[in-house]
Every structure is written in C-alpha cells, then in structure tokens.
Amino acid sequence: MISKLAAAALAVAGSAGGPIPPAVAKITVVATTPDLGSIAREIGGDAIDVKTLAKPTEDPHFVDAKPSHIVTLNRADMLIEGGAELEIGWLPPLLESARNDKIAPGTPGLVVASQGIRMLEVPATLDRSRGDVHALGNPHFLVDPLDAKIVAAQIAAHLSEVQPQSAPLFKSNLAKFNTTVDAKMIEWQKELAPFRGAKVVTYHNDFVYLAERFGFQVEETLEPKPGIAPSAAHLAKVIEKMKAENAHVILVQPYQNRKTAETVARQTDGVVVDVSQQPGALKNTATYFDLMDTLVRTLAAAFAEKK
Ligand SMILES: [Zn+2]
C-alpha cells in the first residue's frame, strides 16, 4: 500500500506538470456491518479500502469482539456505524482500546448512519431495564432502500471532507447509487405489490422498515422484546395470533434460532423463510443491490406460496 507521504510526494510531482496524475492514498474505511460496508464501496469506489467488523452471519447487536478489530479500528481513516445503539454491546470498548482520534465523535471520520434517518418505534421513555436492545428506536433501517440513499449521501459527504480531491468521484458515485435505487424500487414495488397487507412474523424485530416501505405487516416477533429470547408463554400467544390473523410466513436470519421458528410453523401451517439483511450471508448477495433483489424475491415467493 502506498504511504501518505509517498502519495503527497506523487501529488506534488503530478502537479508540476508531468503526465502522471496526482496520486492519493486510499481512504481506509471501517464499517461495523457488511450492509454499511457495501454501501460505502458503492460510493467510495477505488478511492477507498473497506473493512467490515461484523461477519455477514453475525447478529449486529452481539458481535464477537476480537483483538484484531482493535487493530483495524486503530488504522481507520473513517468509521461507519449504524448508530441508535445497534453496536452498543460491543463497539465502545473496542473504540476505547483503538485510541484513534481520526474516527472520534464530531470528526469527518465518523459516520453515524442513524443520524438523518426517520427512526421507527422510538420509545416514549428510555428503558433498558428489561433488556430491550432497541432503546433508541429500531436500528434495522437499511432494508428500506430510501434510507440506504440517506446513508449513502452521508457517506459521500464525509468521504469528501476526508479527501476533497476525490469529491467529484464520490458525487458521481452517489448519483449512480441513487439512480440505481430509483430504478430498482420500481421493480421491487412491482414484485411485492400483489401482497400488500400480507402478514409476516419475524424472529427479531428487524423488518419493520421493509414492511412499511413495501406495504406488508410485521404481525408478531418470536422474541417478546428485541434481544430477549422467546419464552413458551410468549410463543403460545404468537401461535394464537398467527392462527387468528392468518399469518403463515416466519422470517429468520442466519444467527437466529431456526428451530424455534420451525416449532411455531408446525403449529400454524407456517413456513420458515431464510432471509438476511447482510450482504454475503446468503448465496448471490454480495452487494447491497443483490441482497435486496434476493430479499424481495424470497418474500414474494413465500407470500405467493401461503396466499
Ligand atoms: Zn435489533
């Protein structure tokens, strides 16, 4: 990798009129989760180098913190986090050990994605006493493509501050990202339109933004509260409600307890559907757009099967 000093020297050489274009060092961007990393790649292109802390198959609330994460954070020029306490269970101690002023709060090097998002399910009073991990509202907003656009704009703005020479690139990549989202939205809306009002049950409360955007409804969650394991009493209530409300589709992500979902499905003529919000967890979902394509297609198929 080219050092900053060498890059500066090259930039000077380039500006002296030589044919070599000014070279700048790549911005090292660390994203807490793969969805944020994928959007960063769309915006930063070749000007950035993206590293992701959480694995695609890891629960973003409960990431296994490793010493290597400290090293990664220590070397970062920029950190992109989901915010709204998504990472509160594991990121703060890593940041403290990493001691990196470049990604401190209030600097261009820190992007808090939730800032600028219209958060859903913000509780009237802050209460973590019962273990609710959504104390500042629901932090799973990136499956709403319009929220992804907001986050992409934030990333472009911060990248441009960190490296003004590359601002035109970030601006054009953002425009391209937005154009793609707009075109895809028409496709996705069309695919899910026949299932307006359909009901799903999710393991964790992680699909409300998708449901709101595309007109379906999260009827129940297997967890009684976000982050609290399902109890027999709560599951009995869910089963009753699913029967009464004609809900048959249960969504589970790779790190959630599929067996619990299967037990509920058996008693409700339900189907357990494997989905992910993280690029790379399931087949053919390397990018944010591939992920959303798969998510929409999988949902439409499940709704059609259980219509
Ligand atoms: Zn959550």
Side-chain angles (χ1 to χ4, degrees):
M1 207 178 107
I2 192 160
S3 78
K4 277 213 170 133
L5 208 60
L10 279 170
V12 169
S15 64
I20 307 158
V24 285
K26 283 195 180 198
I27 306 172
T28 301
V29 174
V30 177
T32 54
T33 50
D35 49 357
L36 291 167
S38 173
I39 295 171
R41 263 183 213 104
E42 302 279 346
I43 306 306
D46 290 339
I48 72 171
D49 185 20
V50 181
K51 292 185 165 64
T52 301
L53 299 179
K55 292 191 197 110
T57 49
E58 254 179 322
D59 185 337
H61 288 292
F62 303 104
V63 171
D64 193 9
K66 294 192 192 93
S68 63
H69 291 155
I70 298 169
V71 178
T72 302
L73 286 166
N74 175 263
R75 293 174 184 165
D77 298 314
M78 181 181 279
L79 170 66
I80 307 171
E81 60 168 297
E85 296 198 346
L86 176 69
E87 301 96 341
I88 200 169
W90 56 277
L91 186 62
L94 290 174
L95 282 172
E96 198 172 315
S97 303
R99 294 164 185 252
N100 183 350
D101 291 342
K102 283 198 260 181
I103 55 172
T107 65
L110 178 65
V111 179
V112 181
S114 63
Q115 289 173 358
I117 299 294
R118 187 180 58 92
M119 299 290 293
L120 298 178
E121 302 176 339
V122 179
T125 53
L126 187 60
D127 182 13
R128 296 186 188 86
S129 60
R130 289 161 300 173
D132 187 339
V133 294
H134 290 180
L136 292 185
N138 194 310
H140 306 287
F141 46 78
L142 278 181
V143 280
D144 177 348
L146 301 195
D147 284 344
K149 277 169 82 170
I150 294 170
V151 174
Q154 269 178 278
I155 293 172
H158 282 249
L159 284 172
S160 301
E161 261 196 81
V162 169
Q163 194 170 91
Q165 312 91 296
S166 303
L169 171 74
F170 303 140
K171 195 179 165 192
S172 86
N173 284 348
L174 176 63
K176 207 171 113 198
F177 182 82
N178 288 340
T179 305
T180 309
V181 170
D182 293 344
K184 283 282 181 187
M185 271 306 280
I186 295 167
E187 263 179 52
W188 294 330
Q189 298 273 19
K190 210 168 143 189
E191 266 182 88
L192 287 172
F195 311 109
R196 198 149 264 282
K199 288 160 182 165
V200 296
V201 170
T202 60
Y203 187 93
H204 181 74
N205 197 7
D206 41 15
F207 280 95
V208 287
Y209 292 86
L210 189 77
E212 194 188 77
R213 181 59 60 200
F214 292 99
F216 62 94
Q217 199 181 318
V218 178
E219 190 65 36
E220 265 296 344
T221 59
L222 301 187
E223 289 180 341
K225 275 190 168 296
I228 310 292
S231 64
H234 176 71
L235 291 179
K237 264 193 269 177
V238 172
I239 289 166
E240 213 172 292
K241 195 148 176 213
M242 284 179 73
K243 286 177 177 166
E245 297 295 328
N246 218 19
H248 301 285
V249 174
I250 308 175
L251 305 182
V252 291
Q253 297 211 54
Y255 48 84
Q256 295 165 346
N257 193 332
R258 199 181 199 279
K259 282 221 159 73
T260 304
E262 285 165 2
T263 306
V264 173
R266 271 196 296 275
Q267 296 174 63
T268 54
D269 182 30
V271 58
V272 179
V273 181
D274 296 293
V275 289
S276 175
Q277 300 190 342
Q278 296 302 332
L282 303 175
K283 256 210 313 202
N284 304 321
T285 60
T287 70
Y288 179 76
F289 292 111
D290 294 339
L291 172 92
M292 290 303 300
D293 275 340
T294 301
L295 195 49
V296 167
R297 200 181 320 124
T298 306
L299 262 176
F303 286 146
E305 184 192 332
K306 286 292 173 185
K307 209 173 181 181

